[in-house]
Amino acid sequence: MTWPSEPSFVNASERRVWAALVAQLGERDLIIANQRFTKRGADHELDFAVVLHGHGVVVLEVKGNKVWHDGETWWQEWNPAPKKIRPVEQALNNKYVLKEWVEESMAWAGRTPIRWAHAIVLPVSDVDPKFSHPECERSMVVDAGDLADIGNRLRSLLDVQDNDKRASDVDDAVAIHAALSGRFLPQREGQLSIEARIAERDDVVERLSAEQGRILDVTSLITRVEVRGGAGSGKTWLAVEQARRLARQGKRVALICYSRGLSQWMQRRVATFDHREQPAYVGTFHGIGQEWGAPEGSDDDSNFWEVELPEIMLDLAGKQATADLYDAIVIDEAQDFADLWWPVVMEALKYEDDGLYVFSDEGQRVFSRFGGPPADLVTLVLDQNLRNTKQISSTFSSMAPNKMRISQHDGPEVRFVPCDWEQAIEHADDVVEQLLEEGWQPSDLALVATGPRHPEQKARQEDGWQAYWDSFWDKDQVFYGHVMGFKGLERPAVVLALNEQPDRERAMERLYVGLSRARDLLVVCGDPEHIEAVGGPAVLKKIKGNP
């Protein structure tokens, strides 16, 4: 069992721990992830707790990045400087908060005490086997090397307890699950908090996307398919689900896209799947070349990525053993693929008639490259917006290449800050501060630019693209990005800075992508004349709130 059933994670460390727990624990165990509590006016956020059948409960505090102890204090590598942390204290406090919450619940009434413990998980750090500290024995620490055996380590931690508390059973896990779910029942009266509204929308979008997955049932006997749909139609969800179903059939599957950010999201998504449902390769198109031994190029050399590397990959594809090629390839954001890339895709298949599943939106063709998939694909069209609120989806629906039905989910009105393009970033920064003061969490927010990158984005990218995209899942940081790299991604709230100079090519495509990245709240900072010239009068009216 898991609580919630489909948790979302903001960083790679938590997702890595989740994947290890799911892989190693059994059906009678309960995994609790990212649970927030408010007790006596104080807020607590629990990373993980596990109820282990026949053992007890362990509360876990996860700390990513490099973590060490200098004899007095725990430290964590952070940008721009290391920071002091209190992981053991956090785990201990969260243990008592969860224990008190459960034992006060009616679901626990009449049950006798069970074993409780707490531990810290350092998934990218190494801790000496002889480590010892008064507040934390080595057995209470799971480091990078221990992660592969985290289940047994947590069971052992409970088993060595010298007290009269009993081991937990499956009924205890059910009661704890009921204690969590039973006290979060939705209230008909009153206004939901920002956090509650976001959680509600998470459920709605996931449910609608799953319902849209029925289209894959209809096409289960077709091996060459192109699914076209506008922004917010659920293409990426369907692409990942298609790869999942194919892998479940025992096929060797590649799930690819162009964008590094989207590929990171897909990798994190499939990491939560059963190992039998995980594709053989998940990543960028160019990453397949590196798997085959192609050289790494500079991000500043566009000709290498556009022309040279695809030609090298085509040659390498012919040298791969058949077993190393793919039974099926699933491509998301396929409109990003150039003509030279498609021969590589076809050569990466084991046989000429193997599966090719393409998901695209011509309206999001923001790069100055042209190409198209093979002509023998069966085309399906998605015409319903699932992701955005109706206020947001109405701003860009007229720009979609295919007529889209506007979402029916209500939300906050779109906010508009009229300004010159030179001042868009400055105004966007002010809006971010305002939203944080209103109660939005940093991880709910993204500031997305259409022109020059935000200074914060430039600073984070100096540490490399991997570190930059890790910040997308950092729950303590607002994300700063550009529309060119944000396709296929979303945030509950997006502040769109239209900071590009007038009359640039593909401005309409960048505006279309930018407007569609917000799920619940959209704030636009830019020149109304630019918006009207690029998107048309209807787009400007919707952004300004006119019917």
Side-chain angles (χ1 to χ4, degrees), residues 40 60 88 121 156 190 212 242 357 394 399 428-429 439 457 467 469 486 527:
R40 290 181 285 275
L60 306 175
V88 180
V121 184
S156 298
Q212 182 115 295
Q242 180 69 79
Y357 305 86
S394 66
M399 304 170 68
D429 283 334
Q457 179 181 357
W469 281 109
F486 210 68
D527 183 354

Side-chain angles (χ1 to χ4, degrees), residues 223-283:
T223 59
R224 295 290 175 94
V225 179
E226 180 180 12
V227 178
R228 298 177 184 173
S233 60
K235 295 184 304 300
T236 296
W237 191 98
L238 285 175
V240 175
E241 179 63 16
Q242 180 69 79
R244 178 182 192 170
R245 295 185 182 195
L246 292 167
R248 187 191 302 153
Q249 297 170 16
K251 297 182 182 296
R252 180 173 166 81
V253 181
L255 173 60
I256 63 176
C257 63
Y258 166 69
S259 165
R260 286 169 172 165
L262 179 57
S263 71
Q264 291 270 300
W265 182 90
M266 294 192 302
Q267 289 169 1
R268 291 165 184 263
R269 172 79 176 182
V270 303
T272 66
F273 297 168
D274 184 279
H275 68 92
R276 292 165 295 187
E277 298 178 329
Q278 295 183 9
Y281 174 82
V282 183

Side-chain angles (χ1 to χ4, degrees), residues 178-351:
L180 293 172
S181 58
R183 298 177 72 177
F184 287 101
L185 297 176
Q187 302 298 308
R188 185 180 181 87
E189 270 34 307
Q191 185 172 352
L192 292 173
S193 66
I194 290 175
E195 182 179 343
R197 290 203 307 270
I198 291 173
E200 180 186 53
R201 286 284 288 134
D202 283 341
D203 293 340
V204 170
V205 172
E206 187 69 18
R207 175 176 57 80
L208 291 175
S209 298
E211 291 176 358
Q212 182 115 295
R214 294 171 184 168
I215 194 173
L216 302 181
D217 298 333
V218 177
T219 62
S220 59
L221 299 179
I222 306 174
T223 59
R224 295 290 175 94
V225 179
E226 180 180 12
V227 178
R228 298 177 184 173
S233 60
K235 295 184 304 300
T236 296
W237 191 98
L238 285 175
V240 175
E241 179 63 16
Q242 180 69 79
R244 178 182 192 170
R245 295 185 182 195
L246 292 167
R248 187 191 302 153
Q249 297 170 16
K251 297 182 182 296
R252 180 173 166 81
V253 181
L255 173 60
I256 63 176
C257 63
Y258 166 69
S259 165
R260 286 169 172 165
L262 179 57
S263 71
Q264 291 270 300
W265 182 90
M266 294 192 302
Q267 289 169 1
R268 291 165 184 263
R269 172 79 176 182
V270 303
T272 66
F273 297 168
D274 184 279
H275 68 92
R276 292 165 295 187
E277 298 178 329
Q278 295 183 9
Y281 174 82
V282 183
T284 65
F285 164 77
H286 297 99
I288 290 181
Q290 293 169 354
E291 294 250 322
W292 290 342
E296 295 187 15
S298 167
D299 285 354
D300 298 326
D301 185 358
S302 61
N303 188 66
F304 173 81
W305 301 100
E306 302 281 346
V307 180
E308 294 178 20
L309 181 54
E311 290 177 346
I312 294 172
M313 291 173 64
L314 185 60
D315 179 63
L316 289 173
K319 299 177 182 177
Q320 303 302 307
T322 301
D324 294 330
L325 299 176
Y326 301 98
D327 301 305
I329 296 178
V330 181
I331 304 176
D332 192 30
E333 300 290 346
Q335 74 279 350
D336 295 342
F337 279 45
D339 271 332
L340 287 177
W341 303 4
W342 287 103
V344 179
V345 171
M346 303 310 294
E347 284 294 316
L349 292 169
K350 290 181 179 178
Y351 304 104

Side-chain angles (χ1 to χ4, degrees), residues 201 205 208-209 211-212 215 228-235 238 381-390 393 396-397 400 402-409 512:
R201 286 284 288 134
V205 172
L208 291 175
S209 298
E211 291 176 358
Q212 182 115 295
I215 194 173
R228 298 177 184 173
S233 60
K235 295 184 304 300
L238 285 175
V381 177
L382 306 176
D383 63 356
Q384 172 70 59
N385 184 290
L386 306 179
R387 180 180 64 218
N388 316 95
T389 64
K390 65 181 181 182
S393 60
F396 61 83
S397 60
N402 303 308
K403 186 175 181 180
M404 293 280 293
R405 288 181 289 161
I406 294 173
S407 167
Q408 295 304 304
H409 189 86
Y512 172 62

Side-chain angles (χ1 to χ4, degrees), residues 37-55:
F37 297 90
T38 300
K39 297 285 289 181
R40 290 181 285 275
D43 294 326
H44 305 268
E45 183 168 354
L46 179 151
D47 289 340
F48 291 94
V50 290
V51 185
L52 298 166
H53 177 70
H55 302 275

Side-chain angles (χ1 to χ4, degrees), residues 25-200:
L25 301 191
E27 294 181 354
R28 293 183 292 180
D29 300 323
L30 170 63
I31 308 172
I32 303 166
N34 288 340
Q35 179 65 59
R36 293 179 180 178
F37 297 90
T38 300
K39 297 285 289 181
R40 290 181 285 275
D43 294 326
H44 305 268
E45 183 168 354
L46 179 151
D47 289 340
F48 291 94
V50 290
V51 185
L52 298 166
H53 177 70
H55 302 275
V57 182
V58 186
V59 173
L60 306 175
E61 179 67 22
V62 179
K63 293 297 181 185
N65 298 340
K66 176 69 176 177
V67 174
W68 67 95
H69 199 289
D70 64 2
E72 295 182 358
T73 305
W74 289 94
W75 292 87
Q76 183 180 33
E77 195 70 48
W78 209 255
N79 186 19
K83 66 177 183 179
K84 293 182 179 181
I85 56 174
R86 302 188 303 277
V88 180
E89 179 182 335
Q90 288 177 281
L92 177 66
N93 290 341
N94 287 335
K95 178 181 72 173
Y96 287 121
V97 168
L98 177 60
K99 184 174 183 290
E100 183 178 344
W101 181 275
V102 168
E103 293 180 348
E104 289 177 353
S105 168
M106 288 299 298
W108 194 260
R111 308 192 72 80
T112 57
I114 60 174
R115 300 171 188 164
W116 287 76
H118 61 281
I120 62 175
V121 184
L122 314 177
V124 297
S125 301
D126 294 316
V127 179
D128 193 296
K130 298 179 181 179
F131 167 86
S132 181
H133 192 270
E135 71 170 358
C136 180
E137 298 177 348
R138 179 62 178 86
S139 61
M140 298 167 61
V141 182
V142 177
D143 70 1
D146 301 328
L147 205 57
D149 196 38
I150 186 173
N152 288 329
R153 290 188 64 86
L154 298 182
R155 294 184 185 98
S156 298
L157 179 62
L158 290 161
D159 291 344
V160 298
Q161 286 193 1
D162 185 16
N163 56 40
D164 58 353
K165 304 299 187 294
R166 64 180 177 86
S168 61
D169 57 31
V170 68
D171 292 334
D172 296 320
V174 171
I176 292 174
H177 187 280
L180 293 172
S181 58
R183 298 177 72 177
F184 287 101
L185 297 176
Q187 302 298 308
R188 185 180 181 87
E189 270 34 307
Q191 185 172 352
L192 292 173
S193 66
I194 290 175
E195 182 179 343
R197 290 203 307 270
I198 291 173
E200 180 186 53

